Amino acid sequence: QLNQFFGLAGAKMTDSSLLNSELELQQQEELYQQLLSQILESKQKPDSRSHKSFIVIAPRPGLCIKTISETSKEKVFVNICQSSSVPPPPEISRDELVELLQSEDPSDYRVPMSLGMPHTELDNSSQGCTAYDVVINQDFFQKCKEDPLFQQFIILVSVEGLENKYNLELSREWKVLKNRKFLGSLSTQDIRTKVKPVIQELHSQENADAAAKRPEFTLLVGPPVGAPELIAEIKLPGVTSSRSLVLDVGEDRLVLTARPSLYHLDIFHPLLVDQESSFAQYNSSTQVLTVTMPVVSS
């Protein structure tokens, strides 16, 4: 049953070369069962993982908004920050914004933003309060900073975004702090983005991938002790150099292309892996690509 679970898209499970005794094989079997149990018991939605990766952004200060919670009457501060890593919204003029705000459904215009977790801070009176960081595109932020209408618009969108995400009810009688660009300390944020392998950037390449051969590969988990790793060994006969390989590692997806149109592999696996710590090595003598991916605990 275990081999069948790992046999996604023709994958074959084999014993790790690190194991050379029945005791070690039993330990590995227990490790497999533990990892699979963690995944099956996870409350994560099935479609919330695949096709996505993370980038880390360091937001820059922008505007600090002071308001209150309508339910608790406690002070709430909203740090509207800026970053070039956040994509800009569609271009819109001032007249178009006025027309949009007067329309029946202004939600048709969406502003990409990253909504950070709440963090406890102290205000100028050393009283406890809650602050949130909202990150928008830096060019769009400058536009909002220069035009009062755009500024009020982005404040409203930010407040509504926080209300929807954290089930809040914030007062619309906010105040823009003149001498403070943010409250507390700004932390980095992870932005989840869809995985877009380089091999899919050109339409002509998509047709070439369809004609490429699917290589043989093996998935295994090891070592039996210590931090678990998912290891993919991909046989690429005829590939003489790693320069012809394009590899993308997602949270639960691996995409490989050997150019020109020689091999193409696109598989999903049942484990969550650490993309940033994953690495690959190509042995030109054996013509085998080994991808080592640390497993993230559920």
Side-chain angles (χ1 to χ4, degrees):
Q1 293 180 349
L2 181 65
N3 290 350
Q4 183 179 5
F5 188 86
F6 272 88
L8 297 179
K12 301 177 182 178
M13 291 299 301
T14 64
D15 295 335
S16 169
S17 59
L18 298 174
L19 306 180
N20 53 18
S21 70
E22 292 184 0
L23 177 60
E24 290 175 334
L25 286 172
Q26 182 179 1
Q27 290 175 333
Q28 191 188 45
E29 179 75 11
E30 292 173 353
L31 175 62
Y32 288 165
Q33 295 295 344
Q34 180 182 3
L35 290 173
L36 295 180
S37 296
Q38 290 175 346
I39 295 169
L40 294 175
E41 293 173 0
S42 172
K43 296 181 179 179
Q44 198 168 21
K45 294 182 179 179
D47 61 349
S48 64
R49 297 166 16 196
S50 58
H51 316 301
K52 297 180 181 179
S53 60
F54 290 95
I55 59 173
V56 179
I57 62 172
R60 295 169 49 203
L63 295 174
C64 183
I65 314 302
K66 176 183 176 182
T67 184
I68 63 170
S69 168
E70 293 285 18
T71 54
S72 65
K73 302 303 179 183
E74 296 179 350
K75 294 180 183 178
V76 175
F77 293 83
V78 180
N79 298 318
I80 300 181
C81 312
Q82 52 186 316
S83 172
S84 59
S85 298
V86 178
E91 188 66 31
I92 185 172
S93 66
R94 197 177 199 279
D95 292 339
E96 290 172 333
L97 179 59
V98 172
E99 183 178 350
L100 175 71
L101 295 175
Q102 293 175 347
S103 66
E104 295 182 357
D105 189 11
S107 61
D108 285 344
Y109 183 79
R110 298 185 179 276
V111 180
M113 58 177 55
S114 175
L115 304 174
M117 296 289 291
H119 48 99
T120 303
E121 303 291 346
L122 295 177
D123 61 13
N124 289 336
S125 304
S126 297
Q127 299 294 318
C129 60
T130 302
Y132 295 86
D133 301 334
V134 177
V135 190
I136 64 173
N137 176 265
Q138 65 179 18
D139 293 333
F140 188 68
F141 173 83
Q142 292 301 321
K143 188 172 186 177
C144 296
K145 186 178 179 181
E146 295 168 0
D147 190 316
L149 178 63
F150 275 88
Q151 183 178 107
Q152 291 299 308
F153 170 70
I154 196 59
I155 293 174
L156 177 61
V157 172
S158 300
V159 168
E160 290 183 346
L162 291 172
E163 287 180 328
N164 292 332
K165 182 173 183 178
Y166 295 110
N167 194 25
L168 304 174
E169 187 176 351
L170 301 177
S171 171
R172 294 306 190 260
E173 296 182 0
W174 55 65
K175 177 182 179 182
V176 180
L177 304 184
K178 295 182 179 180
N179 299 320
R180 183 185 288 272
K181 294 183 178 180
F182 65 95
L183 181 72
S185 58
L186 297 181
S187 302
T188 59
Q189 292 190 21
D190 295 338
I191 295 183
R192 175 167 279 190
T193 58
K194 291 186 177 180
V195 174
K196 296 183 179 179
V198 177
I199 57 176
Q200 294 183 354
E201 290 183 359
L202 301 177
H203 294 292
S204 59
Q205 185 63 34
E206 292 180 358
N207 297 329
D209 290 341
K213 183 180 178 181
R214 181 185 181 85
E216 292 185 26
F217 66 95
T218 297
L219 295 178
L220 56 92
V221 178
V225 294
E229 295 176 333
L230 178 65
I231 301 173
E233 294 182 349
I234 308 170
K235 297 180 180 180
L236 301 170
V239 176
T240 58
S241 172
S242 61
R243 294 181 179 179
S244 64
L245 302 178
V246 179
L247 175 68
D248 279 282
V249 177
E251 287 183 292
D252 64 349
R253 184 184 185 187
L254 186 149
V255 181
L256 171 70
T257 290
R259 294 176 175 175
S261 306
L262 190 57
Y263 295 104
H264 179 68
L265 180 65
D266 187 347
I267 59 172
F268 292 89
H269 49 77
L271 301 179
L272 291 179
V273 301
D274 184 350
Q275 301 161 263
E276 299 299 327
S277 302
S278 300
F279 62 93
Q281 292 180 318
Y282 185 65
N283 189 324
S284 58
S285 299
T286 61
Q287 297 183 335
V288 172
L289 175 69
T290 302
V291 186
T292 304
M293 300 163 281
V295 174
V296 179
S297 299
S298 298

